[in-house]
Amino acid sequence: MVPHLTTALTGPINELEARILESMPAIERWFRLEWMEHTPPFYTSVDLRNAGFKLAPVDTNLFPSTFEHLAPEMLPLAVQAAMAAIEKICPEAKNLLLVPDSRTTDPDYLLNVQRLVQIFSQAGLNVRLGSLDPALAAPTARSLPDGSELVLEPLLRTRGRLGLKNFDPCTILLNDDLSAGLPPVLEHLHEQYLLPPLHAGWTVRRKSRHFQSYEEVAKKFAKLLGMDPWLINPLHAQCGQVDFGTPGGLDCVRANAETLLTKVRRKYKEYGINEKAFVMVKSDRGTGGLGLMTVRDVKDLDDRERLARHGISAARGGTDLSEVIIQEGVPTFEHIGDAMAEPVVCMIDRYVVGGFYRTHAGRAFDESLNAPGAAYAQLAFAESTQLPRPGVKPGASAPNRFYMYGVIGRLAMLAAAYELEATDPDAESYE
Amino acid sequence: MVPHLTTALTGPINELEARILESMPAIERWFRLEWMEHTPPFYTSVDLRNAGFKLAPVDTNLFPSTFEHLAPEMLPLAVQAAMAAIEKICPEAKNLLLVPDSRTTDPDYLLNVQRLVQIFSQAGLNVRLGSLDPALAAPTARSLPDGSELVLEPLLRTRGRLGLKNFDPCTILLNDDLSAGLPPVLEHLHEQYLLPPLHAGWTVRRKSRHFQSYEEVAKKFAKLLGMDPWLINPLHAQCGQVDFGTPGGLDCVRANAETLLTKVRRKYKEYGINEKAFVMVKSDRGTGGLGLMTVRDVKDLDDRERLARHGISAARGGTDLSEVIIQEGVPTFEHIGDAMAEPVVCMIDRYVVGGFYRTHAGRAFDESLNAPGAAYAQLAFAESTQLPRPGVKPGASAPNRFYMYGVIGRLAMLAAAYELEATDPDAESYE
């Protein structure tokens, strides 16, 4: 099943697909060489948007929470990738402490945790779950939709180590993106591997920093393929101090949105794209889709009511939304039935282990699909991202499109590797 | 689909399955630690036999020629494993020279070569085929059953390197087991990686040496699980100088067969196994199943006519059959329909990438199934070897049985790693 691309202009993306397929050995070699120099994040998921004329990542998640959406047939790939990941980090490991996001009680999220337990158990580790909730005083079972249970246990912190009762792990795998702040219990764990590292959490991370690295990666990759990096890179700008409460507080956002819209319109003209350019205004930190607004014209930013409806207001301004990223909007023109579809690529270590489509019938092509909604669904990629079929007409083959998605997903993962190196607080000690 | 085990005594194998499943994290960790010390062969396939009371490898192939029998759904695992293998050996590689067995024109074998080309191309290499046939003077196409073609090219040898016209590979992947001898064109290639190394070929390799290493591995593993190593280890003995032309030439074989039969009968008694013990007499080198004979009583060895029928005669004695291994026969009690079935596990680097059943309707439970025959078929494992389902009744779950086969297959692969270290002619230079 390949979703329909319902746009008149599919030439650029089909050309990109053809170029990526014919350059496959060069691309894979390029990734191999990059991974010799840079360490991939432990696990990653990347939201992509395919506009037909452009394919770009719009969000790179370093604490992926959607493993339950992968096709069961893809699980062996995840297990094998997990084996490779563990072997590099802590081959003598017996125990893995998985620390999920303890704030969410979403059954879907619990299924994701269950899937992670399954993957790492089958990779050969004793996996137990520790809760960041200080109120959790004894092992507590959480019920899953399938009738099974997950047991969360209180964390036990000694001077240098974190564990559970009778459970001393070599590695701690964090699945909480720290958007609620950094729990002291996770600090100064110098005797164990804490993965991803704390600076991959939203207390330190900024989307604008990530997309700065992504631009660098996209330029390198575009040079390798001899193409315009804009075809895979969403332009962006950033405002570090936005005061939503004052009349001039949005000046920086307005100015950047204007500049970005002009740049995008110029690109649309260059490629003969008959779409209305737009930008997305969003928090520079992770907020799970909150404070995300589509801006087609800078006048949109004067509409206080509309801003408030998107969670952008003085009330929130003091916290999450004082830092803002303005990003070129990439329309999604993939459809499954009546619903817009957005591909998500999932990776463990440097390997693409699968992907799925996030679909949303209630949203338009220029809105975020990462939002609750009645018609919200997740459809696993029906075929592997690793078995392209060279020779098939561009745009006609699901495996070829998925391979291309896997390549762009890995570019965003590589950008995250660059980003984490640049933001590592302990970087000096490596030199 | 799990083949039926048509034997009264399935207790020991179900107990082994249960023990392997419950020890999964310990087993996977043990393998991780072993792979820190030992280098896995580049690729391996292992023939197993499941007697219900015993599960053992009977042949470990370091130049596997059966990749075409893997289920297509398992291919992504092979690609991912190939990526990991290349990355370790020659990450900057662009080109891979694949050297197939040029003596066979079996269409099945060509499909295996095609599958290898596919796997390593998708892992990111330019793959071309070089022929060991000195008579091949120009690129020559070979037709495949599916209508496609493979092009074999003449090898070009310079002082230190091997390649093709306009093709200088970093790595040479050999898929010829060298049972016809060592081609001079492959010698002294010190500037490139030749994999597997020449001493993995049958000019140097001996089955008895392999099973000596396997015994060591089986004992370690049995200690880890607290079980009798005999349950996974076929006993063996070896005769280094057999002269089939002289009256006393078979004395060593006869004596060893007698000793082995006595040992096996004792074990059968210990476990209450109501089967007739037998041993296999075969060439200590690879002969593709030639010279392989079932011996239920040492008197069988006096039957010259029977020996000759199995290719064991003075005429052959001078070459392949001067060295003989006598191996405990492991009956296969797995059935698919009316045919006997024997599992084969395929691996790339340290990873199990799939498996299949070799079935043969014309053979009995105590004969080799690796022989031509009208009812010869290959059935891919329907499910992954990496997704066992703990909790399911032993013997009732295909994924659990396949996981156990993957473990025993990896034990044989580890034994091959030990064996290749011990027989490495350049071993000193590593110290």
Side-chain angles (χ1 to χ4, degrees), chain A residues 149-218:
Chain A
E149 281 187 343
L150 286 175
V151 176
L152 284 163
E153 299 179 63
L155 290 172
L156 282 186
R157 176 69 196 249
T158 60
R159 202 178 321 167
R161 299 183 76 87
L162 185 67
L164 305 173
K165 197 176 172 188
N166 302 321
F167 191 74
D168 184 34
C170 163
T171 303
I172 300 154
L173 180 58
L174 196 58
N175 196 246
D176 180 313
D177 67 9
L178 307 182
S179 52
L182 178 55
V185 75
L186 296 178
E187 288 186 279
H188 312 300
L189 290 171
H190 301 304
E191 293 178 17
Q192 289 160 303
Y193 295 93
L194 176 62
L195 295 165
L198 291 179
H199 68 284
W202 288 118
T203 47
V204 173
R205 220 180 151 215
R206 295 295 177 272
K207 290 172 189 164
S208 52
R209 185 66 195 74
H210 174 71
F211 281 99
Q212 182 189 327
S213 290
Y214 182 76
E215 186 171 308
E216 189 185 340
V217 167

Side-chain angles (χ1 to χ4, degrees), chain A residues 74-279:
Chain A
M74 298 293 142
L75 263 191
L77 274 177
V79 173
Q80 191 174 295
M83 284 175 160
I86 292 157
E87 192 181 86
K88 280 192 306 186
I89 295 156
C90 195
E92 69 277 19
K94 281 182 182 168
N95 298 332
L96 180 79
L97 173 59
L98 176 56
V99 178
D101 181 345
S102 51
R103 288 163 299 141
T104 171
T105 51
D106 179 5
D108 261 3
Y109 178 71
L110 290 178
L111 287 172
N112 168 65
V113 174
Q114 183 190 42
R115 184 55 64 89
L116 286 172
V117 171
Q118 189 187 9
I119 290 169
F120 288 96
S121 298
Q122 284 166 7
L125 293 164
N126 300 307
V127 185
R128 281 165 65 179
L129 303 174
S131 173
L132 284 172
D133 180 2
L136 190 118
T140 306
R142 298 254 187 276
S143 298
L144 279 92
D146 66 358
S148 65
E149 281 187 343
L150 286 175
V151 176
L152 284 163
E153 299 179 63
L155 290 172
L156 282 186
R157 176 69 196 249
T158 60
R159 202 178 321 167
R161 299 183 76 87
L162 185 67
L164 305 173
K165 197 176 172 188
N166 302 321
F167 191 74
D168 184 34
C170 163
T171 303
I172 300 154
L173 180 58
L174 196 58
N175 196 246
D176 180 313
D177 67 9
L178 307 182
S179 52
L182 178 55
V185 75
L186 296 178
E187 288 186 279
H188 312 300
L189 290 171
H190 301 304
E191 293 178 17
Q192 289 160 303
Y193 295 93
L194 176 62
L195 295 165
L198 291 179
H199 68 284
W202 288 118
T203 47
V204 173
R205 220 180 151 215
R206 295 295 177 272
K207 290 172 189 164
S208 52
R209 185 66 195 74
H210 174 71
F211 281 99
Q212 182 189 327
S213 290
Y214 182 76
E215 186 171 308
E216 189 185 340
V217 167
K219 279 181 180 166
K220 275 193 186 183
F221 183 79
K223 197 171 167 195
L224 177 76
L225 260 64
M227 60 176 243
D228 179 356
W230 179 76
L231 293 172
I232 54 171
N233 181 35
L235 305 176
H236 78 280
Q238 167 248 1
C239 292
Q241 289 289 342
V242 181
D243 184 351
F244 289 85
T246 62
L250 283 173
D251 284 354
C252 168
V253 178
R254 204 175 285 116
N256 274 312
E258 184 71 72
T259 312
L260 218 51
L261 281 168
T262 307
K263 280 190 193 167
V264 176
R265 282 176 199 134
R266 205 177 294 141
K267 276 293 183 186
Y268 277 23
K269 204 171 165 193
E270 180 186 335
Y271 283 91
I273 297 161
N274 275 325
E275 300 290 339
K276 193 166 169 54
F278 65 101
V279 296

Side-chain angles (χ1 to χ4, degrees), chain A residues 24-25 28-29 32 36 76-77 80-81 83-84 87 91-94 121-124 126 350-351 384 387-388, chain B residues 24-25 28-29 32 36 76-77 80-81 83-84 87 91-94 121-124 126 350-351 384 386-388:
Chain A
M24 191 178 64
E28 295 298 336
R29 177 170 182 262
R32 275 202 300 277
M36 287 177 76
L77 274 177
Q80 191 174 295
M83 284 175 160
E87 192 181 86
E92 69 277 19
K94 281 182 182 168
S121 298
Q122 284 166 7
N126 300 307
R350 75 205 62 188
Y351 304 105
S384 165
L387 294 176
Chain B
M24 192 177 65
E28 296 298 336
R29 176 169 182 263
R32 275 202 300 276
M36 286 176 77
L77 274 177
Q80 191 173 295
M83 284 175 160
E87 193 181 85
E92 68 279 18
K94 282 182 182 169
S121 298
Q122 284 165 8
N126 301 307
R350 75 205 60 188
Y351 304 105
S384 165
Q386 270 152 315
L387 294 176

Side-chain angles (χ1 to χ4, degrees), chain A residues 321-335:
Chain A
L321 292 178
S322 62
E323 295 176 66
V324 160
I325 177 172
I326 305 104
Q327 192 171 39
E328 174 187 351
V330 182
T332 180
F333 285 122
E334 285 192 294
H335 272 265

